[in-house]
C-alpha cells in the first residue's frame, strides 16, 4: 500500500510539474535568460564610437576643413565642433559638454587630444584610437592628456555604475520580499500604501549607506555625500515602487518585468563598462530613459562635472518613483472595488453570526 501511495504521489508530482502554469513559468524564465544573453552580448560585443562629441581648436581658416573631415569619417564616430580657443575647449570638457578636445598646433607636427577619463575610459580610448588613425593620414602624431581624470579610488570611472546597480537591486529586492511575505498582489489600497511607505525609510538608509561606502569608507567618490545620498534615495525608492506596481498588475510575473527593465535592459545600457556613445543604436537610445542610465550619468556629473546637465536625469528618476506609486495605488484600488463583498444573512449578519 505504501509503494502504491508513493507511485501515486510521484504521478501527481509529474502532473503538477507539467501543468500549464508551471510550463508557462519555466518558459518565462527561459525567455528572460536568453534575453539577458542577447542584451549583454548585443550591447558589448562590438563597441564602436558613434558621434562622440569633440571640440576642435584650429587656426580660423583651417577649422571648417578640419571639422568637416572629422565628421565625414566612416561610421560617423565623431561629432566635431570648432571652438574659439583651448580655454573654451577645456571649459567644455570640465563641464561634461564634450567627450574630448583636439588642439591643432600649426607650428608642430604633433597635436594634443584632451580627454575626460572621468566621463568614461572607453570613450577616451576610442577617441584616441580614431584620432590617432586620422592624424596618421595627415602625417601628424597625437599627444593624449587626461584633463578630467577619475578620482584615485574610481578605477576607469566605473564606481558610479556599480553604485547604481547596488541601489537598484536593493530596491527591487525589498519589493519582491514584501511580495513574498504578504502576497505578490497587494490585497487593498491600505496594504499597497503600507508597502510604499515601508520603502521610504529603506530607500533613505540604502541611499546613505551606498554614499558612505563609496565616499568615506572606500574613497572612490569623495566630497559629494549629501548629493549622492539624495540620488540614491530616489533610485532605491523608484526601483521599489516600480516593482510593487508590476506585482500589483501581474502578481509574481511582475518580478520578471522588473528583471527585464532593470537588469536585462537597464544595466547594459547604463554607461558602465561602455559609455552610451559606444553602444549600438538600441541601447544608446534607451540609456537616458531608464533609471540605470539616468542615475549613472547624474552621479558622474555630480562628482566630476559640477552637476552640469543632470536636471533631465533627476526628472527621469522622479518620474519612475511617481508613476510606480500612482500605478500601484490605482491598480490596487480597482482590484479592491471588484473584490466580492462578504456574504451576509437576512439581518445583515454573516452566516456564522446568524447561525449563532
Amino acid at each position: 500500500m505504501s509503494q502504491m501511495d508513493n507511485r501515486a504521489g510521484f504521478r501527481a508530482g509529474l502532473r503538477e510539474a507539467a501543468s500549464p502554469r508551471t510550463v508557462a513559468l519555466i518558459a518565462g524564465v527561459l525567455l528572460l535568460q536568453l534575453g539577458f544573453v542577447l542584451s549583454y552580448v548585443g550591447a558589448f560585443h562590438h563597441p564602436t564610437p558613434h558621434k562622440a562629441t569633440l571640440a576642435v581648436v584650429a587656426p580660423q581658416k583651417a577649422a571648417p576643413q578640419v571639422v568637416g573631415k572629422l565628421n565625414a569619417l566612416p561610421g560617423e564616430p565623431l561629432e566635431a565642433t570648432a571652438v574659439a580657443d583651448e580655454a573654451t575647449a577645456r571649459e567644455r570638457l570640465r563641464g561634461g559638454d564634450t567627450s574630448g578636445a583636439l588642439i591643432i598646433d600649426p607650428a608642430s607636427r604633433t597635436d594634443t587630444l584632451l580627454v575626460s577619463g572621468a566621463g568614461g575610459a572607453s570613450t577616451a580610448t576610442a577617441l584616441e584610437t580614431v584620432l590617432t588613425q586620422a592624424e596618421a593620414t595627415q602625417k601628424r602624431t597625437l599627444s593624449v592628456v587626461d584633463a578630467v581624470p577619475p578620482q584615485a579610488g574610481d578605477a576607469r570611472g566605473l564606481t558610479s555604475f556599480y553604485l547604481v546597480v547596488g541601489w537598484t537591486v536593493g530596491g527591487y529586492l525589498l519589493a519582491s520580499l514584501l511580495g513574498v511575505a504578504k502576497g505578490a498582489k497587494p490585497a487593498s489600497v491600505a496594504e499597497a500604501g503600507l508597502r510604499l511607505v515601508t520603502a521610504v525609510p529603506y530607500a533613505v538608509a540604502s541611499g546613505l549607506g551606498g554614499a558612505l561606502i563609496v565616499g568615506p569608507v572606500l574613497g572612490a567618490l569623495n566630497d559629494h555625500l549629501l548629493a549622492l545620498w539624495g540620488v540614491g534615495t530616489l533610485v532605491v525608492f523608484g526601483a521599489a515602487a516600480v516593482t510593487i506596481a508590476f506585482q500589483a498588475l501581474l502578481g509574481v510575473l511582475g518580478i520578471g518585468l522588473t528583471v527585464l527593465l532593470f537588469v536585462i535592459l537597464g544595466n547594459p545600457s547604463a554607461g558602465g563598462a561602455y559609455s552610451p556613445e559606444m553602444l549600438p543604436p538600441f541601447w544608446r537610445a534607451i540609456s537616458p530613459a531608464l533609471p540605470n542610465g539616468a542615475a549613472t550619468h547624474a552621479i558622474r556629473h555630480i562628482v566630476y562635472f559640477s552637476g552640469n546637465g543632470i536636471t533631465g536625469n533627476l526628472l527621469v528618476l522622479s518620474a519612475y518613483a511617481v508613476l510606480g506609486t500612482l500605478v500601484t495605488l490605482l491598480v490596487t484600488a480597482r482590484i479592491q472595488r471588484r473584490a466580492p463583498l462578504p456574504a451576509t444573512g437576512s439581518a445583515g449578519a454573516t452566516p456564522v453570526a446568524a447561525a449563532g
Side-chain angles (χ1 to χ4, degrees), residues 62-86:
Q65 183 180 9
V66 172
V67 168
K69 287 183 177 180
L70 292 174
N71 287 336
L73 290 174
E76 298 183 302
L78 303 175
E79 185 175 5
T81 306
V83 297
D85 50 38
E86 183 175 340

Side-chain angles (χ1 to χ4, degrees), residues 302-340:
I302 286 170
V303 175
Y304 295 114
F305 305 112
S306 303
N308 184 41
I310 68 169
T311 301
N313 304 139
L314 297 180
L315 289 174
V316 168
L317 296 176
S318 299
Y320 277 91
V322 171
L323 287 175
T325 300
L326 290 177
V327 169
T328 297
L329 296 177
L330 291 173
V331 170
T332 308
R334 186 178 181 185
I335 293 173
Q336 187 173 334
R337 285 196 302 268
R338 291 183 172 183

Side-chain angles (χ1 to χ4, degrees), residues 57-146:
V57 180
Q60 188 173 2
K61 291 184 178 180
Q65 183 180 9
V66 172
V67 168
K69 287 183 177 180
L70 292 174
N71 287 336
L73 290 174
E76 298 183 302
L78 303 175
E79 185 175 5
T81 306
V83 297
D85 50 38
E86 183 175 340
T88 303
R90 286 182 177 273
E91 183 180 353
R92 293 188 63 181
L93 199 62
R94 287 193 296 267
D97 297 319
T98 186
S99 298
L102 178 63
I103 315 299
I104 305 293
D105 184 358
S108 170
R109 302 298 298 176
T110 299
D111 299 323
T112 301
L113 172 64
L114 306 177
V115 297
S116 171
S122 61
T123 301
T125 302
L127 285 175
E128 180 179 354
T129 301
V130 169
L131 289 170
T132 297
Q133 294 172 352
E135 292 271 304
T137 64
Q138 305 299 314
K139 296 182 170 37
R140 300 181 68 83
T141 58
L142 194 68
S143 172
V144 181
V145 176
D146 192 346

Side-chain angles (χ1 to χ4, degrees), residues 3-303:
Q3 187 176 7
M4 292 181 61
D5 289 343
N6 289 338
R7 290 177 179 175
F10 179 73
R11 286 194 294 269
L14 285 178
R15 286 194 297 271
E16 174 62 25
S19 68
R21 174 180 171 79
T22 302
V23 171
L25 288 173
I26 293 173
V29 171
L30 177 62
L31 288 175
L32 285 175
Q33 172 198 326
L34 297 179
F36 183 96
V37 175
L38 173 63
S39 187
Y40 279 71
V41 177
F44 299 149
H45 78 290
H46 186 54
T48 305
H50 178 77
K51 291 190 173 182
T53 52
L54 181 72
V56 177
V57 180
Q60 188 173 2
K61 291 184 178 180
Q65 183 180 9
V66 172
V67 168
K69 287 183 177 180
L70 292 174
N71 287 336
L73 290 174
E76 298 183 302
L78 303 175
E79 185 175 5
T81 306
V83 297
D85 50 38
E86 183 175 340
T88 303
R90 286 182 177 273
E91 183 180 353
R92 293 188 63 181
L93 199 62
R94 287 193 296 267
D97 297 319
T98 186
S99 298
L102 178 63
I103 315 299
I104 305 293
D105 184 358
S108 170
R109 302 298 298 176
T110 299
D111 299 323
T112 301
L113 172 64
L114 306 177
V115 297
S116 171
S122 61
T123 301
T125 302
L127 285 175
E128 180 179 354
T129 301
V130 169
L131 289 170
T132 297
Q133 294 172 352
E135 292 271 304
T137 64
Q138 305 299 314
K139 296 182 170 37
R140 300 181 68 83
T141 58
L142 194 68
S143 172
V144 181
V145 176
D146 192 346
V148 189
Q151 295 184 12
D154 184 18
R156 298 184 62 82
L158 291 174
T159 301
S160 56
F161 168 67
Y162 288 116
L163 177 59
V164 170
V165 170
W167 277 334
T168 305
V169 168
Y172 69 70
L173 277 182
L174 170 72
S176 300
L177 288 174
L178 289 175
V180 170
K182 303 290 186 179
K185 288 189 176 185
S188 65
V189 173
E191 184 181 327
L194 181 59
R195 294 189 190 187
L196 292 167
V197 169
T198 301
V200 174
Y202 177 88
V204 172
S206 179
L208 176 59
L212 287 171
I213 289 171
V214 301
V217 176
L218 297 179
L221 300 177
N222 294 308
D223 305 323
H224 299 276
L225 178 65
L226 291 179
L228 296 186
W229 182 6
V231 173
T233 299
L234 195 54
V235 171
V236 175
F237 179 77
V242 167
T243 305
I244 295 170
F246 284 156
Q247 289 177 314
L249 285 166
L250 299 173
V252 175
L253 297 180
I255 297 176
L257 275 184
T258 300
V259 173
L260 174 65
L261 177 66
F262 292 115
V263 179
I264 295 177
L265 296 178
N267 283 346
S269 66
Y274 295 105
S275 303
E277 57 265 32
M278 298 291 296
L279 300 176
F282 172 74
W283 290 268
R284 186 168 64 244
I286 66 175
S287 180
L290 296 182
N292 313 56
T296 300
H297 182 274
I299 292 170
R300 278 181 177 157
H301 278 240
I302 286 170
V303 175

